[in-house]
Structure formats: structure tokens, C-alpha cells
Amino acid sequence: MTPFISIVIPLYNKVLSIEKTIDCALNQTFSDFEIIIVNDGSTDGSAAIVEDIKDSRIKIYSTNNQGVSAARNYGIAKAQADYIAFLDADDIWLPNHLENLNTLLQKFPNCGLYCSAYEKQYKSIKTPAVFNNIPNTNNWTGIVNNYFESSINNAIAWTSAAMVPKSILKALNGFDESITLGAGEDTDLWIRIALQYPVAFCNSVTAIHNLQSENRISNSKTDSRQFIDLDVYEPLTKDNPSLKTYLDVNRFAIGMQYKLSGNTKMAEEYFSKTESNSLNKKQQFLMSQSATTARLIKRFQTFLRKLRINLTPFH
């Protein structure tokens, strides 16, 4: 029987977390799904852990290491269901996650993207993501009026809390495989979807984004990553000012990564395309600091996190 939802999990060297991630998927209150695990050339025993989990809904495919975009696209191609839910191998779903996404789908059947609210977890500290212009009413569901405006602080769509119709993923050619090492391949896809289709959202937290796990690709050296090409979308900002702000906030984030790595030339290249009125005061301040000062501020931010104080430049 064809499953209603296909869960795609790319797997690369997550031996410490993959079992817990699969368990949270298997324990969903909505059970009409398959789990497609794409072992992207793991070398740490992750695949063996998956193979020891006996459940007929789990399908394992192994590929040479090509990166998370290729792994997800491979999983999409193998999926039997009409709807694809994504789950990274170190993140966690609450038991009602798929049920919430299915409720969104039934209420709003013609959307290109279905999303649930999420928390960010750093060690034992959990911080709910903050969204602009989303009602605070408990368990609110609806169509996001302006995806880009609502995503200025935190993106409405985060990969492990999103579901997309397979037909739309195929029409848009899935994740851009030229973007490497987690440098915005998901952001790029959500932009393309949000420009063409309605986005449905539920403000109840049903997923947890693990910010400290083994082998995070976002920890890769900045200069070795191929980032999203934000300039592709710049011509569309003339008629979409919130898109311009959204692109500039992402330019700021990438530029700061380059600054922290010591590549001031690339940092300035991103900053030069960023309008200051797109950024808040904290972001403008950080953009003006030297690399040395920026690194000191980053260390202070990390120290405060240990004290359960979460300072962020995004709100």
C-alpha cells in the first residue's frame, strides 16, 4: 500500500544521534508513512545502527558521499508518497509533528510548503524560534501572508519541520546540488517555493533543531563552502521589498561567517550588496566591527549561552 507521507533522512556520520532521530519518526501519532534513509557514504557505523532497527516502513539506500542536497534529492526520487517530510539525522520530532502537518494539508490543500514551528536546542537550552506577523493564538494554523517578512528573524520553513508535495519538488528540480556543505540549499528551495505557492504554517512547536551534534556540516570551514547565490533573486526585489530585506539579512549572515573566518574580502563583498536599512541596529553594529572584535563578541555569545542567556543579532 502506498504511504501518505515519505520521510526523507539524509545520513552522514551521525552515529550518536541517528537512533534517537529514527525513534522519534517511528513514534509519530500519524503512522501512514515510509522512512527513506539515504546513507551518504557514512564511515562511522551510522548505517549499521539503522540496519539493526527492524521496521517495515524503513528503507535504506546507500550512495557515495555527494552532500546533503544530492542525498535529499535521491530520497525524493525514491519516495512513493505524494508528500515529502524532511528530517535531518540529528534533529527530533515531537510525537504529533506529522499529525500537525497532515492537519495543515487537509485545511489548506493547495499549498507548496507546509511548516510547523520549532525550537532550537543548544545542549540543555531550548529557545523557540521567533516569527514576524504570526498570531500568538495557541495552535494557530493559516496561510502565511508574507513568507519573507515573517522569516526575517527565523525562517518560517526549517528543513526538519517542513513538508512539500512531491510534484512541486519535481517541478522545481529539488535542492540545488551546487550549494555545498549546508550553505543555504534549503533556504534556496524555500525561496523558490514561496515565490510561486502559498505557504501554510502551524505555530505549535513540534520539532527540535539540535544546534550541537556530531559532524554538523554547518561547522565546515567557511572558505570550503559554496553558498547560495542570493543575487539570482535580486531582480525580483523591485516589486517585493520584503524579499530584499530577507536577502540582505541572509547576506549579513553569510558575510559574518566570512568575517569570523578571517576572509574580510568576501565579507565586504556580501556587505556591499546589503542595504543598512534592511538590518537592525545589532546587525549594523556587528557588520562595522573588525574580525578580531567580531570573534570576541562571538565567544561572549557562546559563554552567555552556557548561562542560559541567548543573545542573537536577528531580533
Side-chain angles (χ1 to χ4, degrees), residues 215-247:
N215 189 43
R216 284 182 57 79
I217 54 175
S218 58
N219 293 334
S220 304
K221 289 184 178 180
T222 301
D223 288 340
S224 66
R225 306 168 79 188
Q226 182 62 50
F227 283 91
I228 175 178
D229 185 359
L230 298 168
D231 295 346
V232 169
Y233 303 106
E234 191 67 25
L236 303 175
T237 63
K238 293 179 181 178
D239 301 317
N240 193 337
S242 59
L243 173 61
K244 172 59 178 172
T245 301
Y246 180 78
L247 295 178

Side-chain angles (χ1 to χ4, degrees), residues 40-58:
D40 187 33
S42 293
T43 59
D44 68 343
S46 299
I49 290 175
V50 174
E51 289 165 359
D52 284 341
I53 301 173
K54 305 304 179 186
D55 191 294
S56 60
R57 292 171 294 181
I58 298 176

